[in-house]
Amino acid sequence: MKTDTATGSATGEILVRPDPPKSDAGAARAALARRQRARRRVWVNVVRAAVLAAFIGLWQVLASTEVVDPFYSGKPSGICSKLWDWVRDGTSQGPLWDQVWVTLQETLMGFGIGVTLGVVLGIVLGRLRFLAEVFAPYIKTLNSIPRILLGSVFAIWFGLGISSKVMLAAVLVFFGVFFNAFQGAREVDRDLLANARILGASNTRVTLHVVVPSALSWITTSLHVAFGFAITGAIVGELLGAQQGLGLLIFQAQANFDPNGVYAGLVITAAFALAAEGLISLLERWLLSWQPRPQKSGAQA
């Protein structure tokens, strides 16, 4: 007699309980991992909101009780009041949305020009070692100059209009993107380049189909920092001299000893900076969607 391993009953043969299908087990692990990631995102957002609420609440309490002097520090309620006044009645330079749009234009144009030049020149010099050696001292010299000081130069060259702010933003963006693109072009797998040449690809095709995709992760990483530099260039340019823009509002609030106005301008700037950060993250995922993702083990899932 043999024992039924599935039921323990006496039968004339061994019965083996079938294992669950591997596909079902994998789907269960994937669903569990998704639930864990969703819970983690919820908790992260809850803690973020709690930290922000605690900071704002403490600031309001300290300013209201005059533990810190509200004349210098302002207070959250005053910032909200200032923002509402700007939205409802406009600013001294006109409607608030006009000021936001001017700064946004300067930021986006400077960002676009700086990224384009940084990517193109970074890839070209990364591929052509001779040109890289020729231009290296000039690029290093320009990079060593405090670029914020160029705002005054651009104001003299291009006046107080939008052009001087766009140029300053573009210069601030350029170097970060350039060095990442340059390094990304240098770090391309040599085997990939050799295989492409063996298959008869021209230098142009090698650059477009091998070098640029390989350098994308370097380039997209630099975009997050680059947009912050673009905003910095636009705002600083407006602080140095402008006819419209958020930087001008901040400068006027500072001149009038109005800390609430200064912080209100910073809040608006931070709001569209965060929105741009989200859009850049979406762009990064789309551009790098072709790259294989690292597989997690069952324990990590």
Side-chain angles (χ1 to χ4, degrees):
M1 288 290 179
K2 296 180 180 180
T3 304
D4 183 351
T5 59
T7 61
S9 62
T11 64
E13 60 183 357
I14 297 176
L15 300 179
V16 179
R17 179 181 289 112
D19 293 331
K22 292 184 178 180
S23 59
D24 293 344
R29 286 196 297 271
L32 177 61
R34 285 194 297 270
R35 289 195 297 270
Q36 290 175 340
R37 287 195 296 269
R39 285 197 295 268
R40 180 180 178 83
R41 283 195 297 268
V42 170
W43 276 109
V44 167
N45 290 329
V46 167
V47 174
R48 285 174 178 171
V51 170
L52 179 61
F55 173 76
I56 293 175
L58 180 62
W59 183 3
Q60 179 68 34
V61 169
L62 293 177
S64 298
T65 56
E66 297 189 357
V67 174
V68 295
D69 191 345
F71 180 79
Y72 297 106
S73 67
K75 54 185 178 181
S77 60
I79 296 171
C80 293
S81 177
K82 176 63 70 173
L83 286 171
W84 176 245
D85 290 341
W86 282 352
V87 171
R88 183 187 58 191
D89 303 325
T91 69
S92 59
Q93 303 303 314
L96 174 63
W97 311 117
D98 289 348
Q99 317 311 311
V100 174
W101 175 237
V102 168
T103 301
L104 187 58
Q105 278 183 296
E106 296 163 353
T107 300
L108 293 177
M109 292 173 66
F111 180 74
I113 294 171
V115 168
T116 302
L117 292 177
V119 170
V120 172
L121 293 180
I123 295 294
V124 169
L125 295 185
R127 292 279 291 142
L128 303 177
R129 188 176 296 273
F130 177 77
L131 289 181
E133 292 176 355
V134 169
F135 288 101
Y138 301 109
I139 293 174
K140 291 178 181 178
T141 301
L142 291 174
N143 186 48
S144 65
I145 296 174
R147 290 185 288 278
I148 295 297
L149 299 180
L150 294 176
S152 299
V153 176
F154 293 147
I156 295 173
W157 287 359
F158 302 105
L160 300 181
I162 192 174
S163 299
S164 58
K165 288 71 176 175
V166 170
M167 290 300 299
L168 181 58
V171 169
L172 291 179
V173 168
F174 168 79
F175 285 96
V177 176
F178 168 81
F179 286 117
N180 272 42
F182 178 84
Q183 191 63 31
R186 286 291 181 89
E187 294 292 332
V188 177
D189 190 337
R190 301 303 174 187
D191 292 335
L192 289 177
L193 296 175
N195 290 338
R197 291 194 180 96
I198 290 172
L199 293 173
S202 64
N203 286 333
T204 301
R205 287 185 174 273
V206 169
T207 300
L208 293 178
H209 298 290
V210 178
V211 176
V212 172
S214 298
L216 267 182
S217 58
W218 290 79
I219 295 169
T220 55
T221 299
S222 69
L223 296 183
H224 296 277
V225 178
F227 195 85
F229 281 133
I231 296 175
T232 301
I235 295 295
V236 170
E238 291 170 350
L239 288 173
L240 293 174
Q243 298 169 335
Q244 283 185 308
L246 291 175
L248 180 59
L249 294 182
I250 294 172
F251 176 78
Q252 289 177 337
Q254 176 190 0
N256 294 325
F257 296 97
D258 179 12
N260 293 324
V262 173
Y263 292 130
L266 294 178
V267 167
I268 298 172
T269 304
F272 76 75
L274 289 175
E277 174 70 19
L279 293 177
I280 291 173
S281 296
L282 292 176
L283 176 64
E284 181 179 16
R285 285 198 291 269
W286 178 71
L287 289 175
L288 301 180
S289 60
W290 58 273
Q291 291 185 345
R293 295 183 179 181
Q295 298 293 326
K296 295 183 179 180
S297 65
Q300 290 175 322

